[in-house]
Amino acid sequence: IYRSALKLLEQLQLELSFSEQEIQRLSAEIKNLENSQNLSPSPRLEELQEENARLKYRLNILKKSLQEDSLSQRGKAMLNINQRLQEVFGEAIQASCPELDNPPLSIAPSQQAKFGDYQCNSAMSMSQMLKAKGIKMNPREIAEKIIKNLPDNELVQKTEVAGPGFINIYLQKTFVSKQLSNLLINGVQPPPLPSKKKVVVDFSSPNIAKEMHVGHLRSTIIGDSMCRLFEFLGYEVLRLNHVGDWGTQFGMLIAHLQDMFPDYLTVSPPIGDLQAFYKESKKRFDTDEEFKKRAYQCVVKLQSKEPEFIKAWNLICDVSRTEFQKIYDCLDIELIERGESYYQDLMVEVVKEFEKKGLMELDEGRKVVFPPGQPIPLTVVKSDGGYTYDTSDLAAIRQRIFEEKADIIIYVTDSGQSTHFQVVFAAAQLIGWYDPKVTRVEHAGFGVVLGEDKKKFKTRSGDTVRLMDLLDEGLKRSMDKLKEKERDKVLTPEELTKAQRAVAFGCIKYADLSHNRNNDYVFSFDKMLDDRGNTAAYLLYAFTRIRSITRLAKIDEATLKKAAETTEILLDHDKEWKLGKCIQRFPEILQKILDDLLLHTLCDYVYELATTFTEFYDSCYCVEKDRQTGEVIKINMWRMLLCEATAAIMAKSFDILGLTPVERM
């Protein structure tokens, strides 16, 4: 209905435009004729003016209806205050300096309460832009003009010019209070999307027949959290696991399987340790020429899709899938497997298309593509006629653009692959598969995991750390921590196990996500299980404490729901006001992450919210008790609602970060 109304609005605006042009033309003709003779008004002109008036009337009704519809859609969602301020100040800036094209618009939360709630810092840059046009106007003058031109709005209480030209913005407390009530009545709702978009996230991507290691851990955790964010915001998300399930290594694995388990076609081979199986086959491949030849023959037969070789390949893949799934179950990860094998037939089309468009060059027997401005070419066909990772990544991006019809494609792999993806994206643009102004294609790289010695994370013997061993160690340490706090004495065995898993896996995820993904990070169980500072342990305990406030006050959900609809949330105390504003910043935090894909911003925000809540709780009584008997004598319901709003935002943040809070810990 909303889209139909928009189309009708466009049609009416077009008709109105034609009508006004015709009126202007006829009016000009009549003026010319009036200079030479006395004329009565043109019947055609009168007819058009009447039609024009009718069109304007219909247009105004439709615009009003669309505004109301948009407001009702927005009404249930949390409002992005920063975005709303940008709309208000953007209008004022345009009116203040119409001679400037694209004047800068800079709105940010104030760092100190004495400078208001938000600041507009555009005047200084605007002064420089005017100077370049030969117009002298100091930033304070510009700031005053912006304030004068502010349109009527619902959220700004007052403004003031400070320093060289900053505009301090003070929000209406009643406006923030209404937004908090809306949050409690409707839940944590994202702003409506202008149109449904499809996102493909390529993450995790381990290799078949090899153990998952800490590098895969980072990709899995970061990729899952990105998917959760896009899903919450209403995007259609395709979570893809681009596993390494094809290539020459399968020749040696199949040849080894035939020797070790000759009856593999009828009896499922009991491969317990696939990593050891891989190492044995690799050793034979490197030392036994006869075995090596047979391995190459197996590759050819596999690529020809001979049934018994496909069965052997599937058996090996299934053993790996079972191992991978254990890790995904622990970390609550959902993925659709679409490995390199999926793109085999599509690679042929890729090669044909590059050749047809004359973009392929011969280089020492290889067929390569040189995208302009890139440091290295892509090898699309090897000298022996085989395909490469470059070919499979080109086939994958092509399939995601044309078959999946993705609007956004994100690759979550280590930063070491950034050049490779940069060249793949450039080649895809060169051949005309996508326009970066229309389709967002991005490599979200990440740094390496370091041990506490600041070197690459390894076991004491120097081996790569097995992911399953790491998760088991996390479970053991989190149970030790819970017992140290004597939680085993107050929690039931079931509650204790839930708390153990929440802390163990939550801490591992949060330790990763709370660091800027572009940087390396030090893996330390001691730091991540510390219940002080910006850690999952601290936040999960804080959340449990907030949730317990209503429970101890014996307030049930129905009472809270009714209070949300009838009780005004007062924000008179400094700490109430600080907490209320912090809660309302949630949508702008999500918008920032949507733009830069840096999830540590959300971790910093949740930690700030938890510490701001602690300040509020220490200064403002939510429940007042009799000092002698400990009985509840007064409940300050508006403060209980602030507790509830804080918990709701924390719970949604945990959901995006992939953490599982528990009611009792």
Side-chain angles (χ1 to χ4, degrees):
I1 292 166
Y2 187 68
R3 282 186 186 172
S4 304
L6 277 173
K7 279 186 181 172
L8 183 57
L9 178 63
E10 283 170 17
Q11 192 183 328
L12 280 172
Q13 283 173 326
L14 203 62
E15 284 178 33
L16 186 63
S17 169
F18 284 139
S19 168
E20 284 177 342
Q21 282 172 19
E22 186 69 2
I23 287 167
Q24 282 170 3
R25 190 181 67 75
L26 284 169
S27 299
E29 272 183 38
I30 287 165
K31 270 187 185 169
N32 287 337
L33 290 166
E34 277 174 345
N35 291 335
S36 54
Q37 54 187 313
N38 192 18
L39 284 173
S40 59
S42 158
R44 172 75 180 132
L45 180 61
E46 285 178 352
E47 187 189 315
L48 273 168
Q49 281 172 332
E50 275 180 37
E51 175 64 15
N52 197 37
R54 279 198 299 274
L55 279 170
K56 275 186 175 171
Y57 177 71
R58 283 178 69 197
L59 196 64
N60 285 333
I61 286 177
L62 190 60
K63 273 184 176 174
K64 196 175 176 187
S65 158
L66 276 169
Q67 264 178 342
E68 283 168 6
D69 194 30
S70 174
L71 284 170
S72 76
Q73 274 192 315
R74 274 183 170 190
K76 289 185 179 179
M78 283 190 80
L79 181 80
N80 183 332
I81 290 179
N82 194 314
Q83 216 164 54
R84 182 72 188 104
L85 286 171
Q86 285 184 40
E87 288 167 15
V88 170
F89 277 80
E91 202 177 311
I93 285 168
Q94 203 66 57
S96 306
C97 294
E99 60 270 59
L100 290 181
D101 295 326
N102 297 320
L105 178 56
S106 171
I107 306 273
S110 297
Q111 297 304 307
Q112 294 179 52
K114 63 180 179 182
F115 299 130
D117 304 313
Y118 283 80
Q119 276 191 330
C120 174
N121 306 326
S122 300
M124 283 72 79
S125 307
M126 288 168 71
S127 175
Q128 293 297 316
M129 287 172 82
L130 288 167
K131 193 178 175 184
K133 284 179 173 280
I135 304 166
K136 279 194 175 180
M137 196 184 292
N138 75 52
R140 282 189 71 92
E141 266 182 88
I142 296 169
E144 294 288 0
K145 273 185 88 174
I146 292 169
I147 287 172
K148 265 186 204 160
N149 282 297
L150 280 174
D152 287 343
N153 63 84
E154 73 286 15
L155 76 166
V156 178
Q157 187 211 349
K158 66 169 186 173
T159 51
E160 61 189 21
V161 178
F166 299 114
I167 301 173
N168 295 340
I169 305 162
Y170 294 83
L171 298 175
Q172 294 267 19
K173 287 189 177 176
T174 50
F175 168 78
V176 175
S177 172
K178 279 177 189 166
Q179 293 299 316
L180 292 167
S181 296
N182 172 57
L183 157 67
L184 289 163
I185 292 163
N186 296 305
V188 186
Q189 300 283 347
L193 286 174
S195 61
K196 187 97 169 171
K197 288 192 172 180
K198 185 168 186 180
V199 185
V200 171
V201 186
D202 176 329
F203 68 107
S204 192
S205 311
N207 290 310
I208 295 290
K210 289 186 181 178
E211 295 275 6
M212 281 178 80
H213 56 73
V214 284
H216 296 121
L217 177 69
R218 290 212 80 181
S219 175
T220 305
I221 290 169
I222 295 166
D224 175 60
S225 192
M226 283 179 188
C227 291
R228 287 168 180 266
L229 172 66
F230 281 112
E231 284 158 356
F232 170 63
L233 294 172
Y235 290 80
E236 182 190 346
V237 180
L238 181 59
R239 300 157 154 261
L240 289 185
N241 197 4
H242 189 87
V243 296
D245 66 351
W246 202 254
T248 52
Q249 77 271 26
F250 281 95
M252 66 182 195
L253 288 165
I254 292 169
H256 191 53
L257 179 76
Q258 289 171 335
D259 292 345
M260 300 301 290
F261 306 102
D263 56 353
Y264 74 91
L265 288 170
T266 51
V267 180
S268 188
I271 303 172
D273 187 344
L274 197 56
Q275 183 83 346
F277 187 84
Y278 180 89
K279 283 180 180 174
E280 287 163 14
S281 65
K282 181 78 173 79
K283 190 179 176 185
R284 290 182 71 191
F285 184 83
D286 292 339
T287 57
D288 183 340
E289 278 303 314
E290 198 55 46
F291 180 81
K292 193 183 225 177
K293 276 182 200 167
R294 201 151 53 83
Y296 282 131
Q297 287 164 3
C298 288
V299 173
V300 173
K301 288 177 180 178
L302 175 63
Q303 287 173 343
S304 305
K305 298 188 177 168
E306 289 190 20
E308 57 183 85
F309 288 86
I310 290 289
K311 174 151 191 189
W313 170 72
N314 270 321
L315 284 168
I316 292 163
C317 290
D318 284 344
V319 175
S320 270
R321 282 186 194 111
T322 305
E323 291 306 307
F324 297 160
Q325 197 55 48
K326 287 176 189 171
I327 286 158
Y328 296 144
D329 288 345
C330 284
L331 298 173
D332 190 22
I333 308 289
E334 286 182 16
L335 279 154
I336 291 171
E337 186 187 304
R338 199 175 281 177
E340 289 165 15
S341 61
Y342 181 88
Y343 303 100
Q344 288 308 298
D345 296 339
L346 302 175
M347 292 191 214
V348 180
E349 298 304 315
V350 166
V351 174
K352 278 182 189 169
E353 198 173 332
F354 272 95
E355 282 180 329
K356 191 179 173 186
K357 294 195 176 175
L359 298 171
M360 203 95 87
E361 295 178 34
L362 267 174
D363 179 60
E364 296 179 352
R366 301 174 304 151
K367 289 181 180 178
V368 298
V369 174
F370 282 93
Q374 295 306 315
I376 52 168
L378 289 176
T379 300
V380 182
V381 184
K382 293 190 291 188
S383 53
D384 65 1
Y387 298 141
T388 66
Y389 285 125
D390 295 352
T391 332
S392 98
D393 280 332
L394 284 169
I397 197 170
R398 183 176 178 264
Q399 191 273 340
R400 290 162 189 181
I401 291 164
F402 294 110
E403 289 182 34
E404 298 302 343
K405 298 189 168 29
D407 301 288
I408 301 169
I409 306 170
I410 297 163
Y411 294 79
V412 187
T413 73
D414 66 271
S415 297
Q417 295 186 52
S418 59
T419 304
H420 164 72
F421 281 111
Q422 180 187 311
V423 184
V424 169
F425 301 161
Q429 287 171 54
L430 171 68
I431 201 167
W433 289 345
Y434 80 95
D435 175 354
K437 289 177 189 153
V438 178
T439 308
R440 178 182 178 184
V441 181
E442 204 167 322
H443 175 236
F446 53 81
V448 298
V449 183
L450 305 173
E452 294 190 66
D453 57 359
K454 307 279 168 66
K455 291 178 183 169
K456 233 177 173 183
F457 196 42
K458 302 270 186 187
T459 62
R460 283 182 183 173
S461 60
D463 292 331
T464 305
V465 178
R466 288 176 74 244
L467 212 40
M468 207 63 225
D469 291 346
L470 200 71
L471 298 180
D472 287 341
E473 176 73 7
L475 284 169
K476 181 189 168 298
R477 288 189 182 229
S478 71
M479 183 57 86
D480 292 345
K481 192 81 181 173
L482 289 162
K483 284 181 176 175
E484 186 188 303
K485 294 170 86 70
E486 299 191 334
R487 302 312 294 159
D488 54 323
K489 292 178 182 171
V490 289
L491 300 176
T492 66
E494 191 186 346
E495 285 172 337
L496 188 64
T497 303
K498 271 189 182 175
Q500 177 197 22
R501 292 179 72 83
V503 172
F505 303 142
C507 286
I508 290 169
K509 286 183 181 186
Y510 192 85
D512 194 321
L513 295 169
S514 60
H515 290 83
N516 183 324
R517 64 172 164 78
N518 292 309
N519 302 335
D520 300 342
Y521 95 96
V522 174
F523 191 99
S524 163
F525 271 124
D526 290 340
K527 280 183 187 167
M528 60 177 77
L529 288 165
D530 193 341
D531 53 14
R532 295 160 300 175
N534 189 4
T535 66
Y538 167 74
L539 292 169
L540 288 165
Y541 286 127
F543 177 80
T544 305
R545 279 197 301 276
I546 296 167
R547 276 282 188 235
S548 70
I549 295 165
T550 47
R551 195 168 62 243
L552 294 171
K554 296 185 171 62
I555 301 171
D556 61 22
E557 211 170 305
T559 309
L560 275 171
K561 197 168 175 151
K562 192 177 178 191
E565 290 165 357
T566 55
T567 307
E568 183 189 354
I569 298 174
L570 304 174
L571 301 167
D572 299 331
H573 193 288
D574 285 352
K575 300 300 180 187
E576 290 170 340
W577 181 228
K578 187 179 177 183
L579 179 60
K581 286 186 296 177
C582 190
I583 291 167
Q584 277 304 127
R585 276 194 19 244
F586 184 59
E588 62 193 74
I589 295 294
L590 297 190
Q591 184 56 54
K592 185 181 181 306
I593 302 165
L594 201 61
D595 296 338
D596 61 23
L597 302 176
L598 295 171
L599 290 149
H600 69 276
T601 308
L602 181 55
C603 299
D604 292 344
Y605 167 74
V606 187
Y607 180 59
E608 183 192 338
L609 181 60
T611 52
T612 304
F613 177 84
T614 301
E615 287 176 28
F616 153 79
Y617 194 67
D618 289 346
S619 307
C620 305
Y621 288 116
C622 297
V623 180
E624 294 180 38
K625 293 180 180 180
D626 185 292
R627 289 189 180 178
Q628 305 293 310
T629 63
E631 278 192 39
V632 174
I633 51 172
K634 187 182 177 189
I635 291 171
N636 295 317
M637 192 53 84
W638 79 93
R639 288 177 177 163
M640 297 303 292
L641 292 174
L642 274 170
C643 295
E644 197 61 17
T646 304
I649 295 294
M650 284 184 81
K652 184 45 72 181
S653 301
F654 288 162
D655 188 44
I656 292 168
L657 295 167
L659 274 62
T660 309
V662 287
E663 289 294 323
R664 280 166 61 77
M665 187 178 281

